[in-house]
Structure formats: C-alpha cells, structure tokens
Amino acid sequence: MMAGVKITADSIRGMKARGEKIAALTSYDFPMAHLLDEAGIPFLLVGDSLGMVVLGYPDTTHVTIEEMEHHVRAVARAKPRALVGADLPYRSYQTIEDAVKSAKRLVAAGAEAVKAEGGREIIDQIRAIVSSGIPFCGHLGMLPQHVLEEGGYHLKGKKQPEHEALLTDADALVEAGAFAVVLELVAAPVARELTHRIPIPTIGIGSGQDCDGQILVTPDLLGMLPWFNLKHVKPKLNAAEQMRAVVKEWKGTVEGARV
C-alpha cells in the first residue's frame, strides 16, 4: 500500500485480489493505536475482547456499547492511517433497528467499520448496516459472545453440519456486502476452503495459516497477560516480566533514596 494514504475497508478488501496478506491487531487506547500504526498494521480492531484484557470481565458478554464507544474514541484520537474497526457488543444488534443504531454510535465515536458475530441469523442486520453506508466485517467460527451458551471455546468446522453451515454463512456475508470476515477457531482445512471460496478476505485467529490474513489480541502477542494460556498464540515478547522487572527496579531506587 502507498505510504501515507488512508486505508479504508475497500483497501482491505482489495488486498486479497492483489495477493497481499493482511496483518490485523486489536487496539484499545491512544498509545497502542499510535505504536501499531507506526508499525504499519493496516487494520486496527477495537475488539470487545477489551472486556477481558482491559476491564477484567470473565468474557465479552459484559461489554456495553458505552464502553466500546469510550475505547473507540481513544483509538480514533491517534488518527491512524490504518482502518479502525469496532465490535458491536453483545446484544447490541438483536434487531435491525438496534444494529443500525449501535453501528452509527460506534462510527460517531470514530470507528470506520463495524464487526458482528454470526452469519445468516443476523443477515438482515448486516444488510441494514451496509445499506446505511457503514462498512461491515463478519465473524464466523467460534463466537465469543456465545461462549456461555456453548460452554467454552471450541474449534469449529470439524463436524460436517458445522462445515456446511460455515460455507453457507460465508456466502451469505458476501451477498450482504461484508468487506472481510474474521474466522476464529475454524478447522484449518475448512478455513482454507473458505478462503478459496469467497472473494472477500478471510482473517484468521487460531484457524491455520492459509487465511488471507491474521488477527491477534495485541496483549496476547506481546506477552502482557501471563495469566492466560492460549493454544493459538505464542507471545513474541515477554512484556509482563519485563514490566515487572522495571517496576521493581524503580521501586528499589525510590525506597533506597536518602531523605
């Protein structure tokens, strides 16, 4: 992509046609948005994962639209070149009216695209969001907002009914006008099949290496959350230990200072 040119949803969609891999990361605040943008990440997602990694909730179902707006504003203040997407939180898009209203609230806060979980069951909401002029990113596979009813996080697509449902849902997202789709914990062969099947980018997380791109929760990538043990991500940095060491060293200088 040309340096300095603002990245849009159309830019992300076009990366697949050009054979360019998409590196996406989550961002929840001003400094991280600045750093990730300076590193050249083209797609920043203000994910409802902030509920777990920032706010300390047990899962994403506790995140409110007000909390999402707060963090979207913080990220948008960095004025990144990257596309800024935002998750529609749990139960904020149950009806067409709610979906459009919630999407518009996130756009007013600074989001340039929104993401929601599901396929055919929310297709009318997706069409309404796209018709209102807001770019939409899909999310299939493991749906974190459904973690309570599903009893945990499970790989999807290994069973034939799940496999067929993923294919049909992906086709529906394309027809509804989505510019990309996140595939979370989808069996790698199915993720590969979907990637070849649909014209919009697939962005995987725990779904193998054959997607058009990959997304991670940034604190997971940086090793900032040693309390969580995730199979699909190996931290590239041990930031938690480094931060502890620096703080302890500073604390020692404070305690050892003469009065």
Side-chain angles (χ1 to χ4, degrees):
M1 290 197 177
M2 295 176 61
V5 177
K6 175 62 182 173
I7 297 170
T8 66
D10 285 341
S11 306
I12 298 298
R13 177 168 182 153
M15 291 177 73
K16 176 166 185 160
R18 295 190 297 272
E20 300 174 21
K21 289 288 188 176
I22 301 162
L25 287 170
T26 62
S27 183
Y28 315 109
D29 56 42
F30 176 87
M32 187 60 74
H34 249 306
L35 290 170
L36 297 181
D37 198 52
E38 289 173 351
I41 298 299
F43 186 10
L44 300 181
L45 177 68
V46 185
D48 59 0
S49 50
L50 68 88
M52 300 168 73
V53 304
V54 177
L55 301 178
Y57 293 143
D59 53 63
T60 64
T61 65
H62 298 267
V63 178
T64 66
I65 189 70
E66 291 80 12
E67 288 166 335
M68 289 301 303
E69 288 174 303
H70 175 85
H71 288 274
V72 168
R73 290 190 189 102
V75 169
R77 289 186 190 109
K79 295 181 172 58
R81 173 176 172 260
L83 174 71
V84 176
D87 276 335
L88 290 170
Y90 185 57
R91 291 186 173 174
S92 70
Y93 52 98
Q94 289 183 294
T95 68
I96 293 173
E97 182 180 1
D98 287 343
V100 174
K101 180 180 178 181
S102 297
K104 287 183 175 179
R105 286 180 65 170
L106 294 181
V107 169
E112 296 158 336
V114 299
K115 180 171 75 66
E117 298 179 4
R120 287 163 291 169
E121 68 273 22
I122 61 166
I123 207 67
D124 290 335
Q125 290 95 316
I126 296 170
R127 289 195 184 103
I129 289 170
V130 173
S131 294
S132 71
I134 299 172
F136 180 85
C137 179
H139 186 139
L140 298 176
M142 170 56 207
L143 308 180
Q145 293 177 7
H146 294 242
V147 64
L148 298 179
E149 59 203 76
E150 293 197 358
Y153 302 93
H154 307 292
L155 188 70
K156 294 299 182 71
K158 295 180 72 175
K159 300 176 181 178
Q160 190 60 27
E162 288 182 349
H163 182 174
E164 293 174 358
L166 284 167
L167 297 179
T168 306
D169 282 337
D171 290 341
L173 289 177
V174 172
E175 187 274 332
F179 72 88
V181 56
V182 169
L183 301 180
E184 181 165 3
L185 295 184
V186 172
V190 180
R192 185 186 312 117
E193 181 180 359
L194 284 166
T195 299
H196 291 298
R197 178 186 181 94
I198 61 176
I200 63 174
T202 60
I203 303 175
I205 177 168
S207 299
Q209 297 302 308
D210 294 316
C211 296
D212 297 303
Q214 299 290 330
I215 186 168
L216 285 176
V217 172
T218 301
D220 292 339
L221 176 66
L222 300 180
M224 296 175 66
L225 304 169
W227 317 283
F228 298 107
N229 183 21
L230 303 175
K231 295 181 179 180
H232 66 272
V233 54
K234 294 181 179 179
K236 299 296 185 180
L237 187 69
N238 190 359
E241 183 56 38
Q242 291 175 290
M243 291 164 70
R244 278 195 292 256
V246 168
V247 171
K248 287 179 180 178
E249 180 183 359
W250 174 80
K251 177 174 175 282
T253 64
V254 172
E255 294 172 342
R258 295 187 178 185
V259 179

